[in-house]
Amino acid sequence: MATKDHALQSDIAKMKADPDGSFKRADASFRSIIEKGGRFEPELAVTVVSPRMGAQGWPFANVDSFPDTDVDPLYNAEHVKDLYLKADPEYRGRFTVPVLWDKKTHMIVNNESSEIIRIFNTAFNHLVPSDKAALDYYPANLRAQIDELNAWIYPNINNGVYRAGFATSQEAYQKAVVEVFEGLDKVEKLLVGKDYLVGDKLTEADIRLWVTIIRFDPVYVGHFKCNFRTIRDGYPAIHKWMQKLYWNNPAFQSSTNFEHIKTHYYWSHPQINPTRVVPVGPIPNIRPL
């Protein structure tokens, strides 16, 4: 039997842009939830893959022993794509992370990050200390405001940097990069004199914005050509918000690995950076408070 060719799913260098040169992110394919008594029962462990995503996609440490990475503890798989194909041999989408995997049913529960955030908000509360279980990042009284922010922050900023970076025409790039900075300008106004985007507490809106802002100066300014301004020198309110999250909340600092961040983008996109040279700066990666 002939082996199926999954190169278009695993090799980002072969990714195709739209005819006008714009980048369109495909929807996630696995969209189940975790709940006690449901098909997927809560139980949690974390495995970190190598940031050097090559032709076969995201590798585990047994294939690429990059610092602070793990082997697949269940099947000794070599790449994340092996898990996708184990879950569904006919899968036709891209082999993306994060992946929420159920080891009892040998199935992907979910691979949509915005939904995984909400799963983590409540599904594992009975497994963690009561003070952690009491934290609610999507409280009922703030949901309308959070949803309203997510509705424009995601397309303009979170996905906007990718639309700029993966554009293959000048017109598509210029449209995307302008929208990135229009979005950042709006966020800057929202954060003046505030520690959080919504109300006076950390919410999902902050967490979703954080993952783009912490990568912005180290990666998106140079690699994705989002270079109107840097966060550290162009957006004082956003910069202070980012610094406070990183330096005052151990969860943000402990889950941020700048070497993984920079190596992934600069090494994994040869169509943008064919030398795969990873920049040393910015120095420091994040300024002290």
Side-chain angles (χ1 to χ4, degrees), residues 27-127:
D27 290 337
S29 301
F30 297 89
R31 311 292 286 270
S32 298
I33 63 171
I34 290 177
E35 57 185 349
K36 204 170 183 181
R39 180 187 179 191
F40 300 112
E41 288 275 3
E43 185 178 340
L44 186 62
V46 177
T47 304
V48 179
V49 295
S50 168
R52 292 190 288 218
M53 184 180 68
Q56 299 301 315
W58 296 94
F60 289 101
N62 53 326
V63 174
D64 184 12
S65 57
F66 197 88
D68 301 316
T69 60
D70 301 310
V71 298
D72 169 19
L74 299 177
Y75 317 105
N76 202 37
E78 294 186 347
H79 295 88
V80 167
K81 79 169 187 177
D82 301 332
L83 300 182
Y84 275 84
L85 296 174
K86 185 177 184 66
D88 180 4
E90 300 303 318
Y91 178 70
R92 289 291 179 265
R94 290 196 58 79
F95 305 119
T96 59
V97 294
V99 173
L100 202 54
W101 179 269
D102 183 68
K103 64 183 182 181
K104 293 181 180 178
T105 62
H106 310 286
M107 179 61 62
I108 293 175
V109 180
N110 202 298
N111 67 338
E112 169 50 56
S113 57
S114 65
E115 294 175 5
I116 292 174
I117 290 175
R118 293 190 182 174
I119 290 171
F120 281 164
N121 190 43
T122 57
F124 301 96
N125 281 351
H126 64 291
L127 300 177

Side-chain angles (χ1 to χ4, degrees), residues 242-262:
M242 178 184 71
Q243 288 176 297
K244 287 181 177 179
L245 290 179
Y246 184 87
W247 293 112
N248 294 341
N249 190 324
F252 287 90
Q253 186 172 159
S254 65
S255 61
T256 301
N257 187 319
F258 286 106
E259 289 311 304
H260 278 226
I261 289 170
K262 290 193 289 188

Side-chain angles (χ1 to χ4, degrees), residues 114-115 117-119 121 136-139 143 146-147 150 197-198 201-210:
S114 65
E115 294 175 5
I117 290 175
R118 293 190 182 174
I119 290 171
N121 190 43
D136 184 1
Y137 300 112
Y138 191 55
R143 286 179 185 177
I146 293 170
D147 291 344
N150 289 343
L197 282 169
V198 179
K201 62 179 293 184
L202 180 68
T203 68
E204 173 191 293
D206 298 289
I207 298 168
R208 287 179 49 145
L209 179 63
W210 156 267

